[in-house]
Amino acid sequence: MQRIEQHACFGGTQEVWQHPSSTLDCQMRFGVYLPPQAARGPCPVLYWLSGLTCTEQNFITKAGAQRYAAEHGLVLVAPDTSPRGSDVPDQEDAWDLGQGAGFYLNATREPWSRHYRMHDYVVDELPALVDAHFPTTTARGISGHSMGGHGALVIALRNPGRYRSVSAFSPIVAPSRVPWGRQAFDAYLGDDEAAWKQWDACELLRDADERLPLLVDQGDADEFLQRELRPDLLRDACEAAGHPLTLRMQPGYDHSYYFIASFIGDHLAHHAAALK
């Protein structure tokens, strides 16, 4: 791995690292915040998954999470949203498909299947690198925004026992039923909609064995609320499955990082309580 950024921040350090990924067959970057407590020993880790069009930079520069991570002694890891590079397939006429829109799944359809395996990268390869290079414990949480909120919910539900906490901002909760998800699933997975269910949080809740409490914040002025996000479907799925959910509709907030920055402290406190 190669460190390409390092900045002092709230008594710790915000870093960006680059490495060759065997899972994605390309160079990848991720941000890692090391709180001041990491200088004295291993700390729990919170993984953050960003949304459409984002890179590792959006969260580390806009969310203001480092302040709270320093208070709670949490390592923050923020990967890129998808594989990158000139030989990685892309959809140049669509900002919501291809590079910047990996959807945190394992693609099975060409030409995407060689590189677009973000689920395995986030679940297996990235934590192995983080644990080998940084002072971390085995306690992990996962969170994200929009497409990344979808990724956080799905990854937690698909991997019981791996994470101790999960939360999301404005997640795509039922991608099989909304335009963003259907476009991505058709491209990456093919037209067999039965296969889509394993990447849909509302579908996965039906058979979830683990009852990891979900914390979800959603702005009621979000421009994508009714067309793409549909938190009502998550509420219905959790009620039907008896799954614990705290869904907070925040008046006046939109889909931006102004919204995330306003409530990120609550989310880090939620994770810290579970991870410690």
Side-chain angles (χ1 to χ4, degrees), residues 11-13 32-44 69-70 73-75 134-136:
T13 58
V32 57
Y33 176 70
L34 301 173
Q37 295 88 337
R40 302 190 294 271
C43 296
L74 297 178
V75 173
F134 305 104
T136 59

Side-chain angles (χ1 to χ4, degrees), residues 146-165:
S146 194
M147 178 186 71
H150 143 77
L153 296 176
V154 166
I155 285 173
L157 289 165
R158 285 175 57 97
N159 297 276
R162 182 170 289 270
Y163 303 94
R164 297 188 187 179
S165 56

Side-chain angles (χ1 to χ4, degrees), residues 52-53 81-84 88-92 94-119 147 150 175 179-192 195-196 198-199:
L52 288 164
T53 75
T81 55
S82 62
R84 305 277 181 175
V88 174
D90 196 10
Q91 191 74 26
E92 295 183 358
W95 58 270
D96 50 2
L97 189 67
Q99 295 187 35
F103 268 83
Y104 303 101
L105 48 72
N106 292 335
T108 57
R109 189 178 186 186
E110 295 293 341
W112 313 100
S113 56
R114 175 183 168 189
H115 297 280
Y116 284 73
R117 304 186 60 81
M118 285 299 295
H119 172 273
M147 178 186 71
H150 143 77
W180 273 343
R182 292 185 64 83
Q183 173 185 254
F185 285 5
D186 183 64
Y188 298 145
L189 303 172
D191 57 7
D192 180 8
W196 297 2
Q198 63 182 310
W199 305 105

Side-chain angles (χ1 to χ4, degrees), residues 26-65:
C26 67
Q27 290 285 324
M28 287 295 286
R29 293 184 178 186
F30 66 90
V32 57
Y33 176 70
L34 301 173
Q37 295 88 337
R40 302 190 294 271
C43 296
V45 188
L46 176 62
Y47 288 85
W48 172 272
L49 307 182
S50 291
L52 288 164
T53 75
C54 292
T55 69
E56 81 287 341
Q57 291 291 324
N58 295 74
F59 178 71
I60 67 177
T61 60
K62 296 180 180 180

Side-chain angles (χ1 to χ4, degrees), residues 118-274:
M118 285 299 295
H119 172 273
D120 286 358
Y121 176 74
V122 170
V123 172
D124 297 319
E125 183 178 10
L126 182 58
L129 287 171
V130 168
D131 292 345
H133 287 86
F134 305 104
T136 59
T137 71
T138 57
R140 302 186 187 104
I142 191 165
S143 186
H145 170 235
S146 194
M147 178 186 71
H150 143 77
L153 296 176
V154 166
I155 285 173
L157 289 165
R158 285 175 57 97
N159 297 276
R162 182 170 289 270
Y163 303 94
R164 297 188 187 179
S165 56
V166 59
S167 74
F169 287 83
S170 314
I172 306 170
V173 302
S176 298
R177 288 182 269 179
V178 300
W180 273 343
R182 292 185 64 83
Q183 173 185 254
F185 285 5
D186 183 64
Y188 298 145
L189 303 172
D191 57 7
D192 180 8
E193 296 193 14
W196 297 2
K197 293 181 179 181
Q198 63 182 310
W199 305 105
D200 185 307
C202 286
E203 295 292 339
L204 291 169
L205 281 164
R206 299 177 190 272
D207 301 312
D209 295 326
E210 188 177 46
R211 291 292 186 263
L212 203 60
L214 310 181
L215 171 62
V216 174
D217 271 310
Q218 172 66 61
D220 72 359
D222 191 318
E223 60 269 40
F224 304 112
L225 179 60
Q226 296 301 327
R227 176 178 168 85
E228 305 287 2
L229 306 178
R230 299 295 306 278
D232 55 301
L233 297 178
L234 180 66
R235 182 190 293 112
D236 292 346
C238 285
E239 289 179 355
H243 198 104
L245 167 68
T246 300
L247 174 60
R248 308 193 308 184
M249 297 298 299
Q250 303 291 3
Y253 285 90
D254 58 19
H255 200 69
S256 71
Y257 265 82
Y258 296 108
F259 170 48
I260 295 169
S262 299
F263 299 101
I264 193 67
D266 293 350
H267 283 245
L268 264 66
H270 164 80
H271 290 281

